[in-house]
Every structure is written in C-alpha cells, then in structure tokens.
Amino acid sequence: MSGLHPARPFPEAAKSEVNNPQLRANLRKVTNTIREKRLRAVGELPHWEELRVLGAATKDASLAHLSDRLLELEASVKARGGHVHWARDAAEARELVAQIAQGHGVTELIKVKSITSDEIELNRALDAHGIHAIETDLAELIVQLSHDTPSHILVPAIHRNRAEIQALFNRELGDPEHLSDDPAVLAGAARRYLRQKFLTTKMAVSGANFAIADTGTVCVVESEGNGRMCVTLPEVLVSIMGIEKVLGTWEDISVFMELLPRSSTAERMNPYTSFWSGVTPGDGPQEFHLILLDNGRTDVLADEVGRQTLRCIRCSACLNVCPVYERAGGHAYGSVYPGPIGAILTPQLLHMDDKNANTLPGASSLCGACFDACPVRINIPQVLIYLRGEANGHKGTTLESVAMGAARYAMSEGWRFEGAVKLARAGQGPLVHGGQITALPGLLGGWTQSRDLAPFPPQSFREWWREREAEGAGGEP
Amino acid sequence: MSNAEARLEILTRINRAVRDRDVPERPAYPRAEGQSRADVLHTFEDRILDYRAGFVRVSPDGVREAVRAALGDARRVVVPDGLDPAWLPDGLDVRRDTPPLTHAQLDGVDSVVTSCAVAVARTGTIILDHGPGQGRRALTLVPDLHVCVIHAHQIVPDVLDGVHAVAGAVRAGRPLTWLSGGSATSDIELVRVEGVHGPRTLRVIVVDG
Ligand code: SF4
C-alpha cells in the first residue's frame, strides 16, 4: 500500500500511466458516468449553491475553533465510555492501533475502507506486527488481493476490469465454484468470503467521515453494508480520524449529509450511514478507541491560503471532473490522495520541499471545474497557483500581497490566467537568466517582484496531452 | 509513547495556527418551500421505489396482512422488543432478542420486522435510533430481508427535519442507522449490484392515520 509520498515526480509518472489503454477506457467511462449523474443529483436540490456556502462556512467555523472542538469531542467520547488517543504523525497512529490489537491478542482484524488508514500505511505496519488487516469494501478487497494500490477515492479499483477480477477471485478466494465474470457473481463471492469474517472477527478498524464534538458521535458513510458490519459486530472498534473531521454540534451534520452523497456517488443519499457515540451497552462493540491524527494537518491550518484544503469531505467530485485526472489516472499522483484534491493536499501535508510532491501543483489545466464541483467550495485553482509559487520560490519566504494580488486577478477568470501563461511563455526567452526568470512583464509581473520564478514549462498539460494524442500514443481519440 | 505529550503538542500547534483567525459568519440553513403532506408522502414513495425497495401504503388494520406479504417465503423472523404485536401475522417462527441472540443464531434468521424513528421524504431515508421496536443494530443488519413499518406521520420533508427529530436520541447517546434503499455496490465496472453485505431486500410499509 503506498502512503502519502509520491515515489516519482508527477510528469514522469503520468507519462507511463497514460499508456495504459485499459486504465484510460475505464477512467473515461466511470468519470463520465458519475459526472452526468452528479449534475442531475445536484440539479434536483433547490438551494444547492446556498448549501455549498453553508457547508464551507460550517467547516471554517469548526476549523477556527479546532482545539476547543477536539477537547469537547474528547470529553464527550470519554463520557460515553470510549477512549481517545492523539497521534502527531503516522508512526504514532500506527503504533496505537498495533498496541490495541496486541493488547487483545488479535492476529487478524477487519477494516472499513479508510483513506486516512492508507495515508498512515496501516496495513503494512500491522503486517510487520504479525497482524493481518482484511479490507472489507469490495474495491479495497480487489486492490488488496492483487497487491495493488487504490486509484480513486471512491472507486479504488476503477482501473480493473471484470475479467481481471474474475481471475483474481478464482485464484484468491478459494471458492469451490468457478466464478463467471458477472459483477453480481463476483460480488456474491466476496459476500461469502467476508461473511464469516464479519461474524467472528474480534476487532475492526475504521476511518470517520465526520465526528461531532458536543455528542461524541462518530459517523461512517457507505454503500455496501461492510461498514455497518465492522462497526457493529466486533468486540473492539478503533476509528482513526484526521483532526479536521470534527464538527461542532449534531445539527451541523445535516448540510453534509445533503452535500456529500450527491457530490460523491451522485445519489440522493448513500445506502447506509452509521452513527455511534462511545459505547452503547448491549449494542455493538463494547470497547471503542478514537485516534485523532495530525500528520501535517496543523501545518496546513497555519497557512492562510492553503487552510481551506482542510474543508475537504473526500467526496471525489473534483477527480471526476478533472481533465488531467481522467487522462493520467489516480496512480500518476503517487499518493493516497489523487486528483485535484491530492494535487493540493499531498504537497501541503508533506511540505513543499518534498521533491516529488512539489510537482503535483503542476498536475492541473487550471480549468476551474474542480472548484465548481467542490461541495465545500475549496478554491483548488487558487491553492494550486499559490503552491506553484511556493515550489518556485525561495524556501522560507511567503508570498507577498502583490503576488497574491496577481494570482487573485489571474484566477478571477480562467482564460485570463491561461492567456497570461501563454504570453509569459512566448515572451520569456529574453528574460531567463541562469534558469530563473527575474522579471516578467504584464499580468504576472507581481509574481517576480518578490521572488525569482522558474521558467514556465514549455507546454501546459493540455498542450502536452494534445501532442501525445496527435502522435497516437494513447490509442484513443 | 506519551499520549499526553502528543495531545499537548497538537493543541499547541492548532492554537498557534489559528491565533488571529476571524470566526466566520454562518448563513442561515436554506430551506425549500413548504410542501403539502400529500406531496411529502408521494415524494417518499417515489424515492423508495427508485431505490428498488418494496413499498406499500395501508390503513392501520391492513398492517398484519402487508407484513405477511412483505415477508414472502421468509419463515424465521426476528422481532425487537417493543414492536406492536398486532403487526405480526400468525404461523411464523418468531425469535426474540432477549437474551441477545449470538451472531451465529442471527445469521440463521431469514428476516427482521421493525419500526423506525423518522423517515426523510426528499432522500427516501429511513432513520433508526434503535429505540423500542427497532432493536439493536445487528438485528437489522444480519438477516437478509428487512421489513420496516412506518407511520405516515413519521415522514418528514427534508434531511434537516430528520436530523432535528433524532437530536434527542443522539444526545442520549443512542447510535443511529440511516438506510436509503438496500445494500449496493458499483465497484466492478460501475455495474450496480444490489445486496452485498447488508440486507439484500428492504420492504417498506407506510401506515396511514
Ligand atoms: S476537494 Fe472538494 S470536490 Fe474534491 S474531494 Fe474534497 S470536498 Fe470533494
């Protein structure tokens, strides 16, 4: 399982990924399907724009009071008989889960799909302790059995087709029947395999979509029912959540239950959502642990432009509308967070001096579709441009207001930025000295008043892609 | 490892990060215009059918017959404490959950009949707060068929109404399960497959009056 760290720079990884015709065909089909469905689901709801504004403001309010919210959450979970742990980084979080498992003599546990657990590379760490974590989400199970990594937040096995899954299940699940490639048959095989695990496994690990401070309530949103199984049937439950997932009061959950399913799977509501507060006598796990994970989030919070990234509710809407993601696929981002959200979140969590992660803000055409789709109005293009500046700038300096003014102006209309970049590129020849641009005319001049700027790449992603298409590299129009 | 140390450090980092942050104004919750009761009920029916779940509307004296029909071939039925006994047809092998059934026993049951706490029309969502007549969470999870009997007055127009309706239960520490149709996955080539792990079939009976 790959964690946060990209092993290669984005442009290099993208080049090899776009040559996979299976991946591209699947991606195109899935993103197009979800994109169209999402527009219908969103269009059906009156006040969608007002709900987005409210969702963004609700998250911002929580983040502005984050320490109070977390302390309140801790107190209310404890008051309901749960345990609360704090983890500064991935290693601390992994160690906490392993210790709890070892305390119960557990060598096998079941897991609800959780990107946060992938972020900390939990499964590999548990393996090293002799503990096997079984993924119970169908797509995650496919990914796990094939020793692969997820390529989409919502549909992690989006890059696999039914024939591959058929071969995999026939080999790995030890089913006496030979399975056909019918998705229903394959899902049935996973059901049989996992049923016994659900009924008999002592411990489960989950993530959390939201947690509510005043009631100590944790929430898991899902479709298959594997989440309900994991948070209900085992004796011990551990939930790992990023500190930004906390909300203030129970009533705050409403707007997100309106925004999330429609943005994510384009449904009016996802089939199942579970809410629990600590331990309920006689119902569900009688031991509950909540792990609050920082792992770079407080650094994101400290950044005035970047902090809006923490509003993200991991709906994946931005992936499905992104022309770069559609072509390059999730693996090109090299991180558990792919797509536009990954392009801004990963480098911020890892810091801009991570030499592979700092290529991610370039993984965008800046077309603005991600901002329009985002249910909590994260201005992804704005953060991308800002991070590009950070990647180019001297370490330790912050962008000055004049540069920010240029970015804001450029972003106020997408074409203006694209146009400005083209102009800058066309005209940059005489301005490059020793690989750095020291003065830039026109719209983007503000950028260079406070810093040197690496030359614009000779092509935008879009142009680069068009050229590849013309060369017939990808096999599809 | 010192957890107290981690806790203090994270809280310190947060406080440093948000030191001079303004607290943003939050706009009012946008609400749709009021719908008539008939419209609300109609919307709910439409959503349930859209989820390919069973739906039937009956008068109070029709519930027993509707439950019989909804159970179909299922013979072994688990019912939670507090369920209206008048809803249950004769001739069933009815299991009670007191003392609590083991996971294995529950796995041997075909179906479950429950009531609910509230239902949301716009999204077709049934909310269980696991109070009387609803049972602990495992009851509506392990059996393959879930028959849910809902009084028409329990159906509210919107998600926010549903959230308000169960606020008391959440503040009392009770867990919630939100159901919108049955278990489903689209993980293989985006082909929808119904019934992965939760109950494969959901049948809804709405009781008028
Ligand atoms: S950035 Fe916005 S659109 Fe993308 S996953 Fe997060 S909430 Fe969804």
Side-chain angles (χ1 to χ4, degrees):
Chain A
M1 184 78 42
S2 81
L4 260 184
H5 288 264
R8 290 190 289 173
F10 178 84
E12 193 185 308
K15 253 178 227 168
S16 51
E17 290 292 325
V18 291
N19 282 326
N20 177 345
Q22 178 69 56
L23 170 78
R24 292 199 43 223
N26 289 5
L27 275 175
R28 173 163 308 192
K29 181 176 158 203
V30 171
T31 53
N32 280 329
T33 308
I34 301 183
R35 203 152 56 205
E36 274 163 36
K37 265 185 76 185
R38 191 191 72 87
L39 285 177
R40 251 178 289 143
V42 163
E44 180 183 293
L45 209 56
H47 315 307
W48 179 253
E49 287 311 313
E50 288 94 325
L51 284 170
R52 285 177 79 210
V53 171
L54 178 63
T58 304
K59 277 298 270 224
D60 282 347
S62 277
L63 291 169
H65 297 288
L66 189 56
S67 53
D68 292 344
R69 295 280 190 264
L70 290 171
L71 288 171
E72 195 184 356
L73 177 68
E74 178 185 47
S76 41
V77 170
K78 281 183 171 170
R80 297 272 170 223
H83 305 270
V84 177
H85 312 266
W86 301 69
R88 277 169 286 202
D89 55 28
E92 282 187 351
R94 294 191 291 248
E95 205 43 45
L96 283 163
V97 181
Q99 275 176 12
I100 296 165
Q102 281 167 338
H104 289 278
V106 160
T107 54
E108 189 171 270
L109 54 81
I110 47 179
K111 270 189 71 203
V112 191
K113 174 180 153 197
S114 150
I115 321 175
T116 311
S117 77
D118 294 342
E119 173 188 324
I120 63 169
E121 297 181 81
L122 180 65
N123 293 5
R124 201 161 69 186
L126 289 176
D127 259 337
H129 283 94
I131 302 159
H132 179 51
I134 300 168
E135 294 291 347
T136 63
D137 173 81
L138 178 55
E140 288 285 351
L141 180 68
I142 293 166
V143 166
Q144 184 178 44
L145 291 175
S146 49
H147 307 287
D148 194 357
T149 54
S151 60
H152 189 284
I153 292 179
L154 181 72
V155 214
I158 196 173
H159 56 295
R160 298 266 161 189
N161 65 23
R162 64 177 78 190
E164 291 174 300
I165 297 163
Q166 175 192 23
L168 178 72
F169 280 11
N170 273 318
R171 193 173 67 233
E172 296 287 331
L173 292 190
D175 218 294
E177 301 166 40
H178 180 79
L179 304 167
S180 77
D181 70 353
D182 178 356
V185 169
L186 296 170
R191 177 187 169 100
R192 282 193 298 279
Y193 169 74
L194 289 172
R195 188 85 173 176
Q196 255 348 82
K197 304 285 182 195
F198 289 136
L199 293 172
T200 57
T201 306
K202 189 173 174 186
M203 174 169 159
V205 173
S206 83
N209 289 86
F210 304 98
I212 294 138
D214 76 334
T215 58
T217 306
V218 177
C219 160
V220 164
V221 175
E222 48 130 2
S223 294
E224 294 176 9
N226 64 310
R228 291 177 69 195
M229 291 278 182
C230 289
V231 306
T232 306
L233 297 181
E235 293 164 33
V236 181
L237 172 62
V238 179
S239 302
I240 309 163
M241 63 170 260
I243 51 174
E244 81 283 12
K245 300 278 180 79
V246 67
L247 301 174
T249 67
W250 165 246
E251 286 74 15
D252 287 344
I253 197 71
S254 182
V255 68
F256 298 105
M257 293 307 294
E258 299 211 64
L259 290 171
L260 178 58
R262 288 179 201 261
S263 302
S264 178
T265 46
E267 293 168 296
R268 294 182 175 118
M269 188 63 78
N270 54 291
Y272 296 134
T273 306
S274 301
F275 294 95
W276 67 96
S277 309
V279 167
T280 308
D283 185 349
Q286 295 299 294
E287 185 176 323
F288 172 60
H289 297 265
L290 181 62
I291 298 176
L292 304 172
L293 176 72
D294 181 345
N295 207 30
R297 286 162 174 78
T298 43
D299 294 328
V300 185
L301 188 66
D303 190 293
E304 233 181 280
V305 181
R307 62 176 51 147
Q308 57 184 310
T309 313
L310 296 179
R311 288 185 207 143
C312 176
I313 56 175
R314 311 281 189 262
C315 71
S316 75
C318 57
L319 276 63
N320 298 324
V321 297
C322 177
V324 176
Y325 175 85
E326 184 179 327
R327 288 166 173 86
H331 286 159
Y333 298 78
S335 166
V336 295
Y337 298 106
I341 178 61
I344 60 170
L345 182 58
T346 304
Q348 291 189 84
L349 290 176
L350 291 175
H351 303 121
M352 288 306 290
D353 49 14
D354 183 295
K355 70 177 184 342
N356 294 333
N358 72 14
T359 64
L360 288 170
S364 168
S365 66
L366 295 174
C367 67
C370 49
F371 177 41
D372 295 340
C374 179
V376 285
R377 294 177 54 87
I378 299 172
N379 193 334
I380 298 174
Q382 181 199 22
V383 182
L384 284 166
I385 292 177
Y386 169 69
L387 292 176
R388 287 179 189 188
E390 291 286 287
N392 288 331
H394 303 299
K395 249 168 79 184
T397 53
T398 53
L399 271 182
E400 284 165 18
S401 58
V402 58
M404 279 312 301
R408 242 180 257 124
Y409 176 66
M411 280 324 299
S412 64
E413 269 164 298
W415 64 265
R416 204 179 283 162
F417 184 79
E418 285 220 14
V421 170
K422 278 206 191 90
L423 272 177
R425 213 163 42 220
Q428 78 185 14
L431 303 168
V432 178
H433 306 290
Q436 297 281 312
I437 300 170
T438 48
L440 194 66
L443 283 179
L444 294 179
W447 286 90
T448 56
Q449 288 177 16
S450 60
R451 64 189 45 243
D452 287 346
L453 192 65
F456 285 99
Q459 293 170 304
S460 72
F461 188 93
R462 214 180 253 174
E463 289 164 337
W464 172 73
W465 178 256
R466 249 184 243 129
E467 210 152 279
R468 287 192 64 82
E469 295 281 303
E471 288 162 9
E476 269 191 68
Chain B
M1 173 178 5
S2 161
N3 209 246
E5 212 177 89
R7 178 177 184 269
L8 184 65
E9 193 176 324
I10 293 171
L11 290 168
T12 308
R13 289 179 191 169
I14 293 170
N15 288 335
R16 213 181 292 138
V18 297
R19 210 169 18 204
D20 42 16
R21 179 175 314 190
D22 293 334
V23 181
E25 280 278 320
R26 263 199 283 173
Y29 204 108
R31 302 303 307 266
E33 279 175 25
Q35 283 179 293
S36 71
R37 279 310 291 167
D39 282 347
V40 170
L41 295 184
H42 179 80
T43 303
F44 185 66
E45 174 176 358
D46 179 71
R47 302 307 190 241
I48 294 292
L49 291 174
D50 204 43
Y51 291 134
R52 291 183 248 181
F55 182 92
V56 49
R57 233 174 120 171
V58 297
S59 62
D61 53 12
V63 179
R64 186 194 295 249
E65 206 35 57
V67 170
R68 187 198 305 279
L71 285 173
D73 293 337
R75 278 296 157 261
R76 257 170 301 169
V77 181
V78 59
V79 295
D81 293 338
L83 191 82
D84 188 342
W87 289 353
L88 286 181
D90 306 322
L92 294 172
D93 175 2
V94 173
R95 308 281 163 98
R96 299 275 163 188
D97 193 39
T98 29
L101 300 171
T102 64
H103 292 351
Q105 285 172 324
L106 206 48
D107 196 31
V109 169
D110 307 320
S111 58
V112 56
V113 181
T114 72
S115 61
C116 77
V118 65
V120 176
R122 190 191 292 282
T123 58
T125 302
I126 296 165
I127 301 181
L128 307 177
D129 66 10
H130 303 284
Q134 300 167 54
R136 63 191 168 108
R137 285 173 282 171
L139 249 52
T140 44
L141 175 61
V142 180
D144 213 18
L145 167 64
H146 179 193
V147 176
C148 187
V149 183
I150 301 170
H151 290 288
H153 65 77
Q154 291 180 299
I155 301 169
V156 297
D158 242 314
V159 176
L160 184 61
D161 306 305
V163 163
H164 283 311
V166 289
V170 173
R171 297 214 149 82
R174 292 230 290 273
L176 299 181
T177 304
W178 291 26
L179 315 170
S180 307
S183 162
T185 185
S186 301
D187 279 343
I188 301 174
E189 292 188 8
L190 230 63
V191 176
R192 187 178 164 92
V193 176
E194 319 231 334
V196 196
H197 305 299
R200 280 189 269 204
T201 309
L202 171 69
R203 297 200 172 118
V204 175
I205 298 168
V206 170
V207 190
D208 284 317

